[in-house]
Amino acid sequence: MRGESRFLDQKASIMPVSLRGRKVEDEGVVPLINENDSRHQSPDKMGQSEYQEKKGIKGDELNVAVLLFLYVLQGIPLGLAAAIPLLLTNRHVSYKDQAQFSFAYWPFSIKLLWAPIVDSCFISSFGRRKTWLVPVQYLIGITMLLLSANVDFYLGEHDQSPNIVALTGMFFFLNFLAATQDIAVDGWALTMLQRHNVGYASTCNSVGQTAGYFLGYVFYIGLESYGLVTLSGFLFFWGIVFLCATTLVAIFKHEVTDKTKLTSAEENHPDLGVVETYTLLWKIIKLPLMPFMILVLLTSKMGFSAADSVTSLKLIEQGVPKDKLAMLAVPMIPLQILLPLVISRYTVGSKPMNVYLMAIVPRLILGLIFAGLVYVTPMFMLGNGQFPLYYYGMIVCIYSVHQIFANCMFVSIMAFFARVSDPAVGGTYMTMLNTLTNLGGNWPATLALWAVDSITVKECQGGDREKIAPSNVCDGAVQTDLCEDFGGTCVVLTEGYYIESVACFFLGLLWLLWGWRTIKWLQDANLDEWRVVETKKQKV
């Protein structure tokens, strides 16, 4: 359902193929170029042979493969964490428990807190990035092996209640390690690839993490639904893969230490220490425009929270098989690849956030459509408990429209970040803005999950009422099981999801009254107002 990485920062409302924590290209801002630097000169200013030598992927085939594989490994724990809410839904856990587990997705949204430490502290003899990559990946493998031995107990085997605290803690730790691995691999990509191939790093990230997430979520749910694999067995397998792969990387893959071989992106990025980086972040936060920017980023997704965090769980609750829901993510993959390419045509220039603003109202309306979809789902159920093919086609169509507007918002805000970030410290600047964006999606989702149960009213009807709790309220797995054990049925009297969906719609419209003017003002501000390093005056 959720996760982090260079994927869409919006949580997939119905089919969680994309991760909420999509990471910005940390080196996406082009550094100030020195015209006398031959690395940036055109072919007529360089020797023709030298220019030709810098074209093509030749010599980096193995490096690209290594990066791709490392990013695939990074996506595995994210996909597995996304599968847990679907498994918990079948165990009748409350939405407050789901909200508690959603904290497991937070590490990618707060990794800026420890990223400077990963970038600045290392053992030079072993390698700047391998200092963190190797032990972190060993820890991921060991954690998966330990979790494989206990995960069935945590999920509530033998009709016991799931241990949400233990599940949250274990997967939070896995995602924390994956986020730390992401920091190390992103930095290593700058020195692993040749200067003219550094752009392949983002491709490896996007493709690799998509594949890893697909394996950990869609592939696992499909196998598990048909009884071909258990979660403990799946975790054990990938734990072994992590240990073996990390050992091979530690022994056979070496880092570039010769500064003459560093990429231009690595050379132009200031080599700041821990204290300097945190000082820089504080200077960015103190910019006059930044409090308004932070407020926008932390509140702009409140109106989408019910649709993005609760819809898929409600569909499963209404009887839609979780494996079918997961597999519907497959046709979305080409769409997610092509949409950013198309939308980027409309986000170039000085007004990229215009696209962002125009997509807000359609996304708010889609939230109501999702609620309507959940409401009518039982009407499509056939006598055998299955759903017709055209019902799944309807889901794909609705979700495709959702993806269009979600991508519009993502691409436009990334273009805005690239435009306003100070080129002298682009990586740190962009990472901070991206962290705030991800956090702005996480806290409303967690709150939305928690609030559903507070609004929903369920009553146990029928059965031996004297042996059931006096209030006859079905709140969570324990009371639901108690009601069913004595022949009763939990009946929903008031569905909190529908109330929450309507409330989010109007909250989003209310936010737009303030957000529209604020975003326009921030977009029209002079670029110098976003700078923290003194440079030549620039005009918008």
Side-chain angles (χ1 to χ4, degrees):
M1 297 276 305
R2 295 171 287 273
E4 315 294 5
S5 177
R6 278 188 218 272
F7 289 60
L8 228 95
D9 62 341
Q10 308 296 335
K11 174 185 163 193
S13 309
I14 297 179
M15 296 157 290
V17 64
S18 52
L19 304 182
R20 263 195 0 220
R22 176 168 183 172
K23 189 168 87 53
V24 182
E25 302 291 342
D26 290 347
E27 288 72 36
V29 179
V30 179
L32 297 177
I33 295 176
N34 179 359
E35 295 179 355
N36 295 322
D37 188 346
S38 63
R39 288 178 283 108
H40 303 292
Q41 292 177 8
S42 58
D44 59 334
K45 293 184 180 181
M46 300 172 58
Q48 189 66 23
S49 60
E50 180 185 359
Y51 179 71
Q52 291 177 348
E53 290 175 359
K54 295 190 175 185
K55 294 177 63 176
I57 200 174
K58 185 177 180 180
D60 268 338
E61 297 91 343
L62 180 60
N63 292 329
V64 169
V66 170
L67 283 175
L68 188 63
F69 183 62
L70 290 175
Y71 283 123
V72 169
L73 292 180
Q74 188 182 121
I76 297 298
L78 304 178
L80 285 170
I84 296 299
L86 276 66
L87 302 179
L88 292 176
T89 299
N90 290 339
R91 288 164 170 78
H92 306 296
V93 302
S94 68
Y95 281 90
K96 290 181 180 179
D97 289 334
Q98 294 278 16
Q100 182 177 332
F101 183 79
S102 71
F103 282 103
Y105 313 125
W106 282 52
F108 269 85
S109 297
I110 58 176
K111 68 178 181 177
L112 187 62
L113 297 177
W114 67 90
I117 299 175
V118 177
D119 282 333
S120 305
C121 301
F122 55 91
I123 302 172
S124 56
S125 59
F126 186 59
R128 178 171 186 168
R129 311 303 177 181
K130 287 174 65 176
T131 297
W132 291 93
L133 178 72
V134 171
V136 161
Q137 288 200 167
Y138 272 133
L139 280 173
I140 292 177
I142 293 171
T143 303
M144 284 184 166
L145 293 179
L146 293 175
L147 188 56
S148 69
N150 300 282
V151 69
D152 291 333
F153 174 75
Y154 294 151
L155 283 172
E157 60 181 354
H158 307 307
D159 297 326
Q160 294 179 345
S161 299
N163 189 334
I164 303 299
V165 174
L167 285 172
T168 303
M170 294 298 288
F171 279 94
F172 182 94
F173 185 60
L174 273 178
N175 281 342
F176 167 79
L177 295 174
T180 306
Q181 190 249 32
D182 182 54
I183 299 168
V185 176
D186 285 350
W188 197 0
L190 295 177
T191 57
M192 186 184 298
L193 299 175
Q194 299 177 63
R195 289 173 178 172
H196 62 287
N197 286 331
V198 71
Y200 285 104
S202 60
T203 303
C204 291
N205 189 305
S206 178
V207 175
Q209 289 187 356
T210 299
Y213 187 81
F214 181 88
L215 289 172
Y217 172 68
V218 179
F219 186 65
Y220 162 69
I221 288 294
L223 294 178
E224 188 269 345
S225 297
Y226 291 99
L228 299 177
V229 70
T230 62
L231 182 56
S232 60
F234 200 75
L235 283 165
F236 183 84
F237 170 79
W238 283 109
I240 297 298
V241 171
F242 265 92
L243 295 180
C244 295
T246 305
T247 300
L248 293 175
V249 171
I251 296 174
F252 296 107
K253 189 60 184 172
H254 304 287
E255 288 191 53
V256 174
T257 56
D258 184 356
K259 290 189 176 182
T260 63
K261 297 181 181 179
L262 296 179
T263 66
S264 57
E266 181 82 349
E267 289 176 345
N268 282 278
H269 190 70
D271 190 12
L272 302 177
V274 177
V275 176
E276 290 85 354
T277 302
Y278 286 119
T279 302
L280 174 62
L281 290 173
W282 179 242
K283 290 176 67 175
I284 295 173
I285 292 173
K286 289 198 304 181
L287 291 172
L289 293 176
M290 197 53 64
F292 297 95
M293 187 75 251
I294 292 174
L295 190 58
V296 167
L297 296 179
L298 292 181
T299 59
S300 60
K301 298 172 188 173
M302 293 188 299
F304 316 133
S305 57
D308 288 354
S309 61
V310 187
T311 301
S312 58
L313 302 180
K314 281 297 178 182
L315 286 173
I316 294 174
E317 197 176 89
Q318 294 282 48
V320 180
K322 63 179 183 298
D323 61 310
K324 298 291 194 302
L325 206 58
M327 292 306 296
L328 289 178
V330 177
M332 292 295 102
I333 294 177
L335 187 65
Q336 294 205 23
I337 294 174
L338 295 175
L339 275 176
L341 300 176
V342 176
I343 297 169
S344 61
R345 294 183 176 184
Y346 303 96
T347 57
V348 296
S350 60
K351 308 291 183 182
M353 291 297 282
N354 288 351
V355 176
Y356 183 96
L357 292 170
M358 296 302 295
I360 291 178
V361 172
R363 281 203 64 188
L364 293 174
I365 295 174
L366 280 166
L368 297 179
I369 294 176
F370 285 145
L373 176 66
V374 172
Y375 181 79
V376 301
T377 290
M379 304 177 187
F380 289 90
M381 184 179 290
L382 302 176
N384 58 0
Q386 299 298 314
F387 290 86
L389 184 61
Y390 63 84
Y391 170 78
Y392 294 111
M394 180 175 64
I395 292 181
V396 171
C397 291
I398 294 175
Y399 186 66
S400 297
V401 176
H402 170 269
Q403 284 296 90
I404 292 174
F405 293 108
N407 271 275
C408 283
M409 296 184 68
F410 174 77
V411 174
S412 60
I413 201 166
M414 294 304 106
F416 179 70
F417 289 169
R419 179 174 178 270
V420 302
S421 294
D422 193 330
V425 287
T428 302
Y429 209 125
M430 291 275 283
T431 302
M432 191 202 78
L433 292 174
N434 180 71
T435 298
L436 293 169
T437 302
N438 292 334
L439 190 59
N442 271 326
W443 77 261
T446 298
L447 182 61
L449 285 167
W450 178 86
V452 168
D453 274 342
S454 300
I455 305 172
T456 300
V457 178
K458 293 182 181 180
E459 183 180 74
C460 183
Q461 297 181 356
D464 192 342
R465 300 180 67 87
E466 294 181 357
K467 296 182 179 180
I468 302 173
S471 62
N472 292 324
V473 174
C474 294
D475 185 12
V478 175
Q479 293 182 2
T480 299
D481 292 340
L482 184 64
C483 175
E484 294 176 353
D485 288 343
F486 291 104
T489 302
C490 283
V491 177
V492 177
L493 302 181
T494 303
E495 177 55 74
Y497 169 66
Y498 302 135
I499 298 174
E500 197 172 81
S501 297
V502 174
C504 283
F505 174 78
F506 287 106
L507 180 63
L509 291 180
L510 186 63
W511 179 91
L512 193 58
L513 295 176
W514 169 82
W516 186 285
R517 293 192 301 269
T518 304
I519 289 175
K520 286 283 190 180
W521 172 65
L522 292 170
Q523 183 173 246
D524 293 337
N526 192 292
L527 290 180
D528 288 340
E529 298 182 58
W530 297 95
R531 302 295 186 248
V532 291
V533 178
E534 290 187 8
T535 59
K536 184 178 179 180
K537 291 290 183 180
Q538 303 180 45
K539 296 182 179 180
V540 177

